[in-house]
Amino acid sequence: MLKAQFKKVVAKVNPLHFFKGNRFILVYHDLSNPTDQNFSKHYSTPPKLFKKQISHLKKQFDFLDLNTLTSCKSLESKKNYMAITFDDGFKSVKDIALPFLKKENIPFSVFINRAACMSQQLWVSNIELFKDQDYINTLLKTSNIAQNQNEDAVELLMHQGRFNNQFKQRAYKPSYAKDIYLSQSDIIELSDQNVQIENHSSDHFNLNHCALYLLEG
């Protein structure tokens, strides 16, 4: 009984009230609904949920741009701070995140994949969008990965993939879906809106697995 009461009390108490001067980085990817063509269970957040999360966090944190959060040594020790980032450079960052965060006066950063910008696709999104088993099998075979039933192809490739030139050649296909990534002009527009633009590699390969295979293929 005492244990149950203790859990209720702990659940209602925000530990951040007792620990100040902390810095956090919040990472999002795509903003889309489960019914949208580009929705992924791996990286998508419904816009309504995103806005609810940010509105809640705004009561707990002071939001800063990423450069200030990571480099400023004179932040007040009695506050907690947070920066918002988006990986990969999905178009929903411009269409949904930008107007909402601008209205809330919250800065944010976008980490762009070159391939996503230039060719409007990444191997991860290709798996999620097209559900093409032949394509998935080709990538798994290139990495010498045997997929058991119910194993997730994205997770297998991300953690066991052989990211060499051969994988890169087979990872891109003619895109027949709508554009889901930011274009060059989109990125320029975001930059003009004082959004911090950063790099998130070229092809979304697991860099820990690239070093072993740079000379292959």
Side-chain angles (χ1 to χ4, degrees), residues 97-132:
L98 177 62
F100 173 72
L101 294 176
K102 188 175 181 179
K103 181 180 177 181
E104 295 293 320
N105 197 29
I106 297 176
F108 66 96
S109 304
V110 185
F111 286 75
I112 305 293
N113 289 99
R114 180 181 182 278
C117 171
M118 301 300 293
S119 61
Q120 285 296 313
Q121 62 175 306
L122 291 172
W123 65 270
V124 179
S125 60
N126 284 349
I127 289 176
E128 296 292 289
L129 285 173
F130 305 127
K131 305 295 190 293
D132 184 338

Side-chain angles (χ1 to χ4, degrees), residues 142 144 162-167 210-217:
T142 302
N144 296 323
R162 296 165 62 92
F163 297 109
N164 53 18
N165 289 333
Q166 188 178 51
F167 185 98
C210 286
L212 297 176
Y213 310 116
L214 285 176
L215 300 180
E216 293 188 14

Side-chain angles (χ1 to χ4, degrees), residues 62-76:
D62 279 16
F63 283 97
L64 303 173
D65 65 86
L66 188 61
N67 282 340
T68 301
L69 182 85
T70 55
S71 62
C72 183
K73 298 180 180 179
S74 59
L75 297 179
E76 291 185 37

Side-chain angles (χ1 to χ4, degrees), residues 12-155:
K12 293 181 180 179
V13 174
N14 184 349
L16 291 175
H17 288 311
F18 303 100
F19 301 97
K20 300 294 185 178
N22 295 294
R23 308 183 189 201
F24 299 86
I25 298 174
L26 189 61
V27 180
Y28 285 100
H29 290 74
D30 171 53
L31 301 179
S32 60
N33 291 304
T35 54
D36 294 336
Q37 181 184 23
N38 53 295
F39 180 84
S40 167
K41 65 180 180 180
H42 290 282
Y43 50 69
S44 296
T45 303
K48 186 175 180 179
L49 177 59
F50 168 74
K51 294 176 182 179
K52 184 177 180 180
Q53 290 173 345
I54 299 304
S55 296
H56 174 72
L57 290 169
K58 194 174 181 181
K59 301 174 184 177
Q60 312 292 330
F61 297 90
D62 279 16
F63 283 97
L64 303 173
D65 65 86
L66 188 61
N67 282 340
T68 301
L69 182 85
T70 55
S71 62
C72 183
K73 298 180 180 179
S74 59
L75 297 179
E76 291 185 37
S77 60
K78 295 182 179 181
K79 295 182 179 181
N80 286 309
Y81 301 91
M82 178 172 285
I84 297 178
T85 69
F86 292 87
D87 277 357
D88 298 333
F90 286 92
K91 198 171 184 66
S92 58
V93 173
K94 176 193 170 189
D95 295 341
I96 299 172
L98 177 62
F100 173 72
L101 294 176
K102 188 175 181 179
K103 181 180 177 181
E104 295 293 320
N105 197 29
I106 297 176
F108 66 96
S109 304
V110 185
F111 286 75
I112 305 293
N113 289 99
R114 180 181 182 278
C117 171
M118 301 300 293
S119 61
Q120 285 296 313
Q121 62 175 306
L122 291 172
W123 65 270
V124 179
S125 60
N126 284 349
I127 289 176
E128 296 292 289
L129 285 173
F130 305 127
K131 305 295 190 293
D132 184 338
Q133 194 58 49
D134 289 337
Y135 172 78
I136 294 172
N137 289 339
T138 296
L139 298 187
L140 291 170
K141 184 177 180 180
T142 302
S143 293
N144 296 323
I145 297 174
Q147 183 183 23
N148 297 322
Q149 189 176 9
N150 298 324
E151 283 189 311
D152 185 273
V154 172
E155 293 293 331

